[in-house]
Amino acid sequence: QVQLADSGGGYVEPGGSLRLSCAASGRIFSSAVMAWFRQAPGKEREFVAAFRWGVQRSMYADSVKGRFTISRGDAANEAYLQMNRLKPEDSAVYYCARGQDFDSTPSAYRDWGQGTQVIVSS
């Protein structure tokens, strides 16, 4: 099992940017899929973006397409979510996750970070 630590959340005004980081306790192998989900108060956890590590294939929720970018770092155990043109509706706790299937459902992912809070407000 891989332990994930996500960070980088904070408070930002609408239109601003944040970059979230996810550090894994071990190497992320090429077959793995790294993803970001988010959960706002009173709502279900929803898919944001996913990235297949080895082939660098990515997919995004329609709500963030063109504004968010998921990527891997130079190290073998880092993943990022660059969030631009943030909106108040992007406010949520963001979680990184690791799985084996390129999937947008939370149940497809076994390992989860502890979450990092993002607040977009003026």
Side-chain angles (χ1 to χ4, degrees):
Q1 186 173 357
V2 172
Q3 292 185 328
L4 304 176
D6 36 35
S7 62
Y11 178 92
V12 64
E13 294 187 348
S17 298
L18 282 174
R19 189 175 82 154
L20 306 184
S21 300
C22 179
S25 59
R27 179 183 172 186
I28 301 172
F29 293 98
S30 60
S31 61
V33 173
M34 299 299 294
W36 289 92
F37 287 79
R38 65 187 182 187
Q39 188 166 18
K43 294 188 177 182
E44 293 186 353
R45 191 166 296 190
E46 68 170 352
F47 172 77
V48 175
F51 183 86
R52 184 172 286 283
W53 205 251
V55 299
Q56 300 191 40
R57 176 189 171 194
S58 59
M59 69 174 180
Y60 297 90
D62 288 342
S63 59
V64 306
K65 203 172 292 184
R67 299 188 298 122
F68 291 11
T69 303
I70 187 172
S71 64
R72 59 177 292 175
D74 292 336
N77 63 345
E78 297 175 334
Y80 303 102
L81 184 69
Q82 177 66 43
M83 305 187 296
N84 298 327
R85 304 200 310 274
L86 282 160
K87 305 175 182 179
E89 51 264 43
D90 294 319
S91 297
V93 177
Y94 283 71
Y95 299 88
C96 67
R98 187 189 77 106
Q100 293 300 124
D101 297 322
F102 209 52
D103 201 303
S104 62
T105 55
S107 60
Y109 296 85
R110 185 181 72 174
D111 302 310
W112 291 84
Q114 79 283 2
T116 183
Q117 178 83 52
V118 171
I119 299 173
V120 185
S121 176
S122 55

